[in-house]
Amino acid sequence: MIRILVLGMNPGIGGVQTYLINLYKNIVDYGIQMDFVISGNHCYYSDEIKKLGGQIFYICPKKKNVITNIIDLFKVFFKCRKTHKIVYFNFSVLYYNIPFILAKMFRYPIIISHAHSTKSPTMKKGIRYFLHCLNRIDVTHRSDYLLACSKLAAEWVFGKKALEKGKVKIVRNAIYIEKYVYDEDIRNNIREKLGISKDHFVIGHIGRLSYEKNQLYLIDIFKEIYEINNNAILLLVGDGKQRSKIESIISKYQLKDNVLLLGARSDVYELLQAMDVFVLPSYNEGLGIVLIEAQTSGLYCFASKYVIPDEVNITGLVNFIELNKSPKYWADQIMKYSRGYQRKSMDKEVKKAGYDIIDMSKKFREFIFSISKVQI
């Protein structure tokens, strides 16, 4: 049994969390066990992790008490130093490098660092940006293996030189493709449950309710759409710190009857069927795995240009628009699809592009076996 100590699994639902739990499910039966270090005292996937035989090490969040956070991390790394051969870091930003330092201090044989995000607009030139750039040098040179979900994510976390020199391996944030295949019956059933008629034009969005995901701007876009077509519906799937702000703006614009806040959901693959277009105006994304899911179900997508990597557009269904364009401009582009279009699944194209979780997991476990010097 190969045991991997995993850092970067956040408590809620998100792209990185989905990637990690899907990967775990597909490698555990081959003798690879993943144990997770999680900030806080809960995890959305805790039951699944325990069912698969994994351990969860809860630690104090650094925002709550950085000293206690360091002490908790020290205890975890000390406890696992003889049982875990591999430490698997999943990074979005590197201004806090204590876990990496501890892993090196306790001399874990193999350290894998995986980049999952691009630069955030909140990461302006300052102390955090300086620390990120400084720690980038340490992580890039002292990790045994560098992985990234996209080229832009690789550049942000490890630096452009590391990517150009071939030090970074691109690992797709793959999905269960068959779950997202478009199904008219599922579409009709979900719309009926949500009280949405065939005449409604449904704009969809899935993501943590946070500044980075830019839902406040999305509400402004939808306001413009609603003024053109008051039969439009906005589905917001996800939860987070900005929920109250979003609710306030919805109320201010008098859109309560047309914006459905569905919270965190486990049936995303079905909710995508109910949508007519998908919009992701994020400020930063490592790749935007939800766009892969949306494309698989045949949805036309709209995403922020120069922020979300071009490589996410594997089917030709993604329309990139600059964030400095007005909400009215976004609305006009989206409304071009309000009369409907011939929707079809893109499962074959998505699989060919390397986003099938079964294929990706096979490559990942072969990678783990090879670096662990284990015979397959």
Side-chain angles (χ1 to χ4, degrees):
M1 174 69 72
I2 300 170
R3 300 197 79 93
I4 303 175
L5 188 64
V6 182
L7 290 92
M9 168 71 94
N10 292 322
I13 304 176
V16 177
Q17 296 92 304
T18 302
Y19 157 75
L20 287 171
I21 198 68
N22 286 344
L23 174 64
Y24 184 24
K25 289 176 183 177
N26 284 279
I27 63 175
V28 68
D29 289 339
Y30 294 86
I32 303 172
Q33 187 62 256
M34 296 173 77
D35 300 313
F36 299 85
V37 180
I38 298 174
S39 293
N41 55 16
H42 75 281
C43 173
Y44 180 85
Y45 292 108
S46 61
D47 290 341
E48 287 189 72
I49 291 170
K50 291 174 183 176
K51 188 176 179 180
L52 292 168
Q55 297 181 66
I56 299 176
F57 301 99
Y58 290 111
I59 61 172
C60 176
K62 60 180 179 293
K63 288 183 179 180
K64 185 176 180 181
N65 190 311
V66 69
I67 301 301
T68 305
N69 173 266
I70 294 171
I71 292 170
D72 288 349
L73 281 167
F74 185 95
K75 290 177 180 177
V76 172
F77 280 109
F78 179 80
K79 180 178 181 180
C80 298
R81 71 195 188 285
K82 293 182 179 179
T83 54
H84 294 69
K85 190 172 185 177
I86 301 171
V87 180
Y88 181 24
F89 289 103
N90 292 269
F91 293 118
S92 293
V93 67
L94 297 174
Y95 66 82
Y96 188 71
N97 203 26
I98 297 300
F100 188 83
I101 292 171
L102 289 172
K104 297 303 295 185
M105 186 180 80
F106 284 110
R107 298 183 179 181
Y108 280 79
I110 301 169
I111 292 181
I112 303 170
S113 294
H114 196 153
H116 286 281
S117 188
T118 54
K119 184 180 178 181
S120 168
T122 59
M123 183 66 72
K124 297 176 182 177
K125 301 254 172 143
I127 185 63
R128 286 192 174 189
Y129 183 77
F130 172 77
L131 288 172
H132 172 83
C133 294
L134 185 65
N135 292 332
R136 172 198 284 168
I137 298 170
D138 187 41
V139 169
T140 300
H141 289 284
R142 297 176 69 189
S143 294
D144 297 292
Y145 301 94
L146 303 176
L147 311 178
C149 66
S150 69
K151 291 179 181 178
L152 277 180
E155 286 185 18
W156 164 239
V157 176
F158 304 126
K160 196 171 183 177
K161 286 184 179 179
L163 181 65
E164 290 175 345
K165 290 180 179 180
K167 293 182 178 180
V168 187
K169 179 181 176 62
I170 303 299
V171 175
R172 307 298 182 194
N173 285 5
I175 63 173
Y176 286 102
I177 291 175
E178 68 280 359
K179 292 173 68 174
Y180 295 90
V181 172
Y182 181 62
D183 188 304
E184 191 75 21
D185 291 333
I186 293 176
R187 172 183 171 84
N188 293 334
N189 183 44
I190 294 299
R191 286 176 77 113
E192 184 179 348
K193 286 181 179 179
L194 294 174
I196 299 171
S197 72
K198 291 182 179 180
D199 297 326
H200 282 115
F201 176 49
V202 181
I203 296 94
H205 172 86
I206 298 167
R208 184 178 67 258
L209 302 185
S210 64
Y211 173 80
E212 290 78 12
K213 299 296 181 180
N214 205 14
Q215 286 98 355
L216 294 177
Y217 185 64
L218 177 56
I219 302 297
D220 286 338
I221 294 170
F222 181 71
K223 178 176 177 289
E224 298 291 342
I225 291 173
Y226 180 77
E227 289 179 3
I228 301 169
N229 179 4
N230 60 15
N231 220 20
I233 296 287
L234 175 62
L235 290 186
L236 289 180
V237 184
D239 214 337
K241 294 179 180 179
Q242 286 215 319
R243 185 181 182 108
S244 60
K245 282 187 179 180
I246 290 168
E247 289 175 333
S248 177
I249 294 295
I250 291 170
S251 180
K252 177 183 175 182
Y253 290 162
Q254 299 181 346
L255 294 171
K256 281 187 176 181
D257 294 335
N258 292 75
V259 180
L260 303 183
L261 279 162
L262 301 183
R265 299 280 292 250
S266 59
D267 58 345
V268 164
Y269 55 95
E270 291 187 335
L271 292 171
L272 283 166
Q273 313 286 340
M275 300 171 187
D276 293 309
V277 295
F278 187 86
V279 184
L280 191 69
S282 302
Y283 281 127
N284 70 297
E285 291 281 351
L287 178 77
I289 188 63
V290 70
L291 286 170
I292 301 296
E293 297 169 346
Q295 287 177 84
T296 306
S297 71
L299 277 173
Y300 270 96
C301 305
F302 297 84
S304 39
K305 192 173 184 178
Y306 306 128
V307 173
I308 296 173
D310 291 343
E311 60 204 271
V312 78
N313 189 11
I314 57 177
T315 64
L317 292 176
V318 181
N319 300 270
F320 293 101
I321 305 175
E322 295 175 47
L323 284 174
N324 60 11
K325 296 289 187 182
S326 68
K328 179 68 165 60
Y329 181 87
W330 278 72
D332 288 341
Q333 301 308 305
I334 292 168
M335 285 302 295
K336 291 178 182 179
Y337 298 90
S338 63
R339 295 183 180 179
Y341 52 90
Q342 187 175 1
R343 185 171 173 181
K344 62 178 182 178
S345 295
M346 291 290 183
D347 49 310
K348 292 179 181 178
E349 290 83 352
V350 173
K351 183 177 177 64
K352 186 178 179 181
Y355 288 91
D356 179 61
I357 187 65
I358 306 302
D359 294 342
M360 187 279 288
S361 298
K362 182 175 183 291
K363 291 176 182 177
F364 189 88
R365 65 175 181 262
E366 288 173 351
F367 163 67
I368 294 297
F369 286 140
S370 67
I371 65 177
S372 302
K373 305 295 188 283
V374 174
Q375 292 292 325
I376 301 175

